[in-house]
């Protein structure tokens, strides 16, 4: 595609199960890329869908296939509602990440549901999706994928940190973009907040009320993953195998949340050089206690942008990945994922 103006939707569903992020975006390519987010929402999952997505990691092949089709139809309904409500027309594409069920790059396998050809037919739009599979086939981690967007849209910052279900960060090093998952964040904090009757730890109030359990904190910080070199990435399989079994023996849930919040702050801070600029986005950016904890461990200059970018930066960047795919330009960086080469990933479906 030769034109430089792209009217698209970016769609993202994260592992923290907050909901489906849908953003109407204009991307413009001149000397460099620029963007405008016209409107963006997060559509909460129904309790039934949220439960199925959380349990899907235990499903057999047939159950996963059934959920994939159900989720694709569910996703199509939410996208159509958004398009109709805002009277959006002349879209170049709907660029959708899907929802990750399995992520096992060491087994050459990753699965994001909602990336079926039916999606294009149901919404009657061109769809670009399924960005991770090709990277894993090229011996990459299939994650993180956001760093190409950090480089092209947010390159003015030394570090770009996303605090979502997992913390991942990207930065330039020796003229290459480097990125990796730092640690789980909201997939753990939200899990324990639910035990206290809340969807998440608003502002870090539970963490502030708890007491950090130093022996447990040391056990968390000593996990092998944190001492591995990049490229590396995390999935719920790793969280289930390593994190919960360390935290569950703590009797007080606020103590668990306090200890884990401190763990996250420590893991992030140790990646940062002094006085560098750090752009923080994702739901965790609203956790003021966590942000303050990072500041206590690092002298990096923290920048939290306007709320629409905090909440929808990933939807924005998956829109960019889709446009790069349409332009047949690289949207996966081997320096980030460890794949055999840079490549243009994703599949394109037409109605």
């Amino acid at each position: 595609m030769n034109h430089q103006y792209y009217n698209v939707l970016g769609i993202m569903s994260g592992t923290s199960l907050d909901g489906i992020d849908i953003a109407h975006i204009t991307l413009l390519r001149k000397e460099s890329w620029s963007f405008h987010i016209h409107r963006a929402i997060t559509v909460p999952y129904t309790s039934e869908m949220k439960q199925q997505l959380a349990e899907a990691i235990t499903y057999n092949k047939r159950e996963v296939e059934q959920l994939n089709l159900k989720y694709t139809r569910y996703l199509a309904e939410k996208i159509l509602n958004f398009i109709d409500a805002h009277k959006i027309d002349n879209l170049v594409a709907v660029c959708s990440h899907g929802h990750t069920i399995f992520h096992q790059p060491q087994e050459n396998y990753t699965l994001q549901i909602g990336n079926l050809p039916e999606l294009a037919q149901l919404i009657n739009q061109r769809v670009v999706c399924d960005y991770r599979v090709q990277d894993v086939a090229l011996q990459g981690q299939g994650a993180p994928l956001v760093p190409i967007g950090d480089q092209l849209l947010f390159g003015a910052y030394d570090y770009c940190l996303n605090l979502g279900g997992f913390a991942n960060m990207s930065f330039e090093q020796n003229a290459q973009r480097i990125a990796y998952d730092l640690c789980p964040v909201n997939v753990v904090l939200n899990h324990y907040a639910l035990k206290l009757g809340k969807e998440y730890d608003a502002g870090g109030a539970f963490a502030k009320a708890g007491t950090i359990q130093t022996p447990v904190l040391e056990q968390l910080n000593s996990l092998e993953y944190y001492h591995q070199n990049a490229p590396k990435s995390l999935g719920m399989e790793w969280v289930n195998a390593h994190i919960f079994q360390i935290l569950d023996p703590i009797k007080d849930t606020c103590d668990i949340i306090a200890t884990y919040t401190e763990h996250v702050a420590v893991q992030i801070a140790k990646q940062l050089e002094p006085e560098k600029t750090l752009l923080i986005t994702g739901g965790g950016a609203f956790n003021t206690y966590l942000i303050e904890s990072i500041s206590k461990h690092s002298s990096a200059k923290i920048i939290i942008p306007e709320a629409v970018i905090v909440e929808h930066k990933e939807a924005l960047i998956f829109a960019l990945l889709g446009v790069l795919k349409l332009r047949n330009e690289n949207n996966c960086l081997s320096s980030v994922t460890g794949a055999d080469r840079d490549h243009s990933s994703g599949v394109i479906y037409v109605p």
Side-chain angles (χ1 to χ4, degrees):
M1 305 186 81
N2 297 318
H3 62 286
Q4 308 294 303
Y5 173 90
Y6 300 88
N7 181 39
V8 295
L9 296 189
I11 318 290
M12 175 64 191
S13 173
T15 46
S16 55
L17 294 174
D18 295 337
I20 300 168
D21 293 338
I22 307 177
H24 178 206
I25 295 158
T26 297
L27 287 158
L28 183 63
R29 179 72 167 94
K30 290 186 176 178
E31 291 82 12
S32 58
W33 284 98
S34 62
F35 68 90
H36 178 70
I37 301 175
H38 298 278
R39 56 192 63 81
I41 63 170
T42 298
V43 184
Y45 283 118
T46 62
S47 56
E48 178 193 6
M49 181 58 71
K50 190 169 186 176
Q51 182 178 357
Q52 286 186 287
L53 293 175
E55 294 174 351
I57 198 170
T58 67
Y59 284 6
N60 61 37
K61 183 179 179 181
R62 177 175 170 77
E63 290 170 330
V64 170
E65 288 173 350
Q66 291 173 335
L67 178 60
N68 197 352
L69 184 57
K70 179 179 180 179
Y71 183 79
T72 299
R73 292 169 176 166
Y74 182 91
L75 186 60
E77 177 190 348
K78 305 308 178 187
I79 293 170
L80 284 173
N81 288 345
F82 182 82
I83 290 173
D84 291 344
H86 300 289
K87 297 179 171 58
I88 300 168
D89 55 14
N90 299 318
L91 286 170
V92 172
V94 171
C95 310
S96 181
H97 172 270
H99 184 84
T100 298
I101 299 299
F102 302 108
H103 184 63
Q104 301 166 359
Q106 68 281 2
E107 304 294 334
N108 297 314
Y109 182 59
T110 187
L111 174 66
Q112 288 69 47
I113 62 172
N115 290 331
L116 297 176
E118 284 88 341
L119 183 61
Q121 298 162 14
L122 290 167
I123 65 174
N124 196 32
Q125 300 284 345
R126 174 166 39 194
V127 170
V128 190
C129 61
D130 221 4
Y131 302 104
R132 298 188 188 273
V133 172
Q134 178 174 294
D135 192 79
V136 170
L138 290 171
Q139 308 304 311
Q141 290 285 309
L145 297 183
V146 166
I148 185 72
D150 291 341
Q151 184 182 64
L152 297 177
L153 301 178
F154 299 97
Y157 302 97
D158 295 314
Y159 299 101
C160 291
L161 172 67
N162 179 66
L163 294 176
F166 296 84
N168 46 66
M169 188 169 71
S170 80
F171 53 94
E172 294 290 320
Q173 186 178 81
N174 300 324
Q176 284 189 319
R177 198 75 188 177
I178 304 298
Y180 45 91
D181 288 343
L182 277 63
C183 60
V185 184
N186 291 333
V187 292
V188 176
L189 296 178
N190 293 359
H191 171 82
Y192 290 105
L194 280 171
K195 295 181 183 297
L196 297 173
K198 299 294 183 180
E199 292 285 320
Y200 57 93
D201 185 12
F206 292 143
K208 192 178 292 187
T211 300
I212 295 168
Q213 305 295 303
T214 303
V216 175
L217 178 63
E218 291 174 351
Q219 191 177 356
L220 289 167
N221 288 334
S222 67
L223 285 168
E224 182 184 355
Y225 177 84
Y226 301 125
H227 304 283
Q228 295 173 0
N229 294 324
K232 57 183 181 177
S233 63
L234 291 165
M236 279 306 300
E237 297 92 335
W238 186 87
V239 178
N240 290 331
H242 298 283
I243 298 296
F244 293 138
Q245 66 179 8
I246 293 175
L247 293 175
D248 281 346
I250 300 176
K251 294 180 180 179
D252 187 280
T253 304
C254 283
D255 288 355
I256 292 177
I257 295 173
T259 302
Y260 196 77
T261 300
E262 179 71 4
H263 168 65
V264 172
V266 168
Q267 290 305 319
I268 290 169
K270 76 178 189 178
Q271 311 296 322
L272 306 172
E273 293 184 18
E275 305 300 325
K276 298 286 189 178
T277 54
L278 173 66
L279 180 74
I280 301 182
T281 57
F286 297 119
N287 186 329
T288 51
Y289 182 80
L290 172 57
I291 301 303
E292 290 167 3
S293 298
I294 296 169
S295 296
K296 288 177 183 177
H297 292 287
S298 169
S299 63
K301 299 174 183 176
I302 292 175
I303 297 101
I304 298 177
E306 58 184 308
V308 70
I309 295 177
V310 169
E311 295 175 329
H312 300 289
K313 175 169 169 269
E314 286 191 299
L316 163 65
I317 290 180
F318 281 105
L320 175 65
L321 262 69
V323 168
L324 292 173
K325 174 64 179 178
L326 291 173
R327 292 168 61 93
N328 198 31
E329 295 177 6
N330 290 334
N331 60 10
C332 280
L333 302 174
S334 59
S335 62
V336 169
T337 69
D340 294 339
R341 54 181 170 82
D342 294 349
H343 57 104
S344 186
S345 191
V347 295
I348 301 169
Y349 297 128
V350 293

